[in-house]
Amino acid sequence: MPSEKLVQGLIDQMNFEFESANVYLAMAAYCQAENWDGFANFFLVQAEEERFHGMKIFNYLNDIGERAIISGYRSPKNDFQSILDCFESAFQHEKEVTKRIYALSDLALDERDHGTIHFLKWYIDEQIEEEALFDNIIVKLKRINNDTNGMFLLDREFAARTFTPEEQ
Ligand SMILES: [Fe+2]
């Protein structure tokens, strides 16, 4: 059985994942306002993913006989200078998520709670992918350096991104 502290850590992480969905919704709204529909779609899909990440913990808490206590969310950043600014902010956000997942995993390891250690392994793998994804896009955006053709191509590529929970 996880300690009260570990359960609270899981609840906090669940709420942070839901908060992350809002972080990405704000970026989607900025992209929509700038008429970059593909980039907006990218962030809308990202927001759905974050909600899914939150729901996984929501369900896990129920599975271990605990209750998912939902708390309010902080306002995300809504002002962005550019598409690159969005992705750089997203990358910083994902690094913060990784830090929190690692701290939570440390706690589960200290308690030798193998169920939770195993459960969190999925998030550790996910974070490696998330950071690599944003890092890669930032490199591409810097290479494109606001070239209109390049931006249109990337926007079109991201218009095709879909949310596929079974691959999560
Ligand atoms: Fe997440």
Side-chain angles (χ1 to χ4, degrees), residues 13 16-17 20 24 46 49-51 53-54 93-94 97 101 122-123 126-127 130:
Q13 187 59 37
F16 194 70
E17 298 286 349
S20 299
Y24 293 122
Q46 193 65 29
E49 278 196 9
E50 297 309 333
R51 201 178 134 71
H53 297 168
H93 184 78
E94 288 302 325
V97 175
I101 294 289
W122 184 89
Y123 287 83
E126 177 70 14
Q127 281 314 114
E130 297 279 48

Side-chain angles (χ1 to χ4, degrees), residues 117-135:
I117 292 166
H118 179 74
F119 172 73
L120 290 173
K121 177 157 186 317
W122 184 89
Y123 287 83
I124 292 168
D125 293 341
E126 177 70 14
Q127 281 314 114
I128 291 168
E129 277 179 32
E130 297 279 48
E131 287 196 27
L133 173 71
F134 284 109
D135 190 32

Side-chain angles (χ1 to χ4, degrees), residues 3 8 23 25 41 61 73 86 92 94 97 104 110 118 122 133 142 145 147-148 154 166:
S3 70
Q8 189 55 51
V23 165
L25 271 183
N41 178 62
L61 285 163
Y73 313 129
C86 285
Q92 288 312 312
E94 288 302 325
V97 175
L104 198 52
D110 287 347
H118 179 74
W122 184 89
L133 173 71
K142 284 184 175 165
N145 193 22
D147 169 73
T148 312
L154 205 53
E166 41 309 331

Side-chain angles (χ1 to χ4, degrees), residues 2-17 57-58 60-61 64 66-67 69 71 97 99-105 107-108 111 116 119-120 123:
S3 70
E4 228 173 86
K5 193 177 166 194
L6 182 51
V7 169
Q8 189 55 51
L10 285 162
I11 290 172
D12 290 345
Q13 187 59 37
M14 171 193 70
N15 283 305
F16 194 70
E17 298 286 349
I57 304 176
F58 180 99
Y60 180 68
L61 285 163
I64 60 170
E66 300 290 344
R67 198 170 141 190
I69 306 294
S71 61
V97 175
K99 226 166 71 182
R100 289 175 185 235
I101 294 289
Y102 280 19
L104 198 52
S105 298
L107 206 60
E111 294 186 15
T116 304
F119 172 73
L120 290 173
Y123 287 83

Side-chain angles (χ1 to χ4, degrees), residues 67-115:
R67 198 170 141 190
I69 306 294
I70 306 298
S71 61
Y73 313 129
R74 289 170 296 185
S75 291
K77 175 177 169 174
N78 279 283
D79 298 323
F80 300 97
Q81 306 306 314
S82 60
I83 295 294
L84 178 62
D85 185 23
C86 285
F87 281 94
E88 283 180 330
S89 300
F91 190 34
Q92 288 312 312
H93 184 78
E94 288 302 325
K95 284 183 178 172
E96 173 64 26
V97 175
T98 303
K99 226 166 71 182
R100 289 175 185 235
I101 294 289
Y102 280 19
L104 198 52
S105 298
D106 284 345
L107 206 60
L109 282 168
D110 287 347
E111 294 186 15
R112 298 178 180 222
D113 182 342
H114 290 282

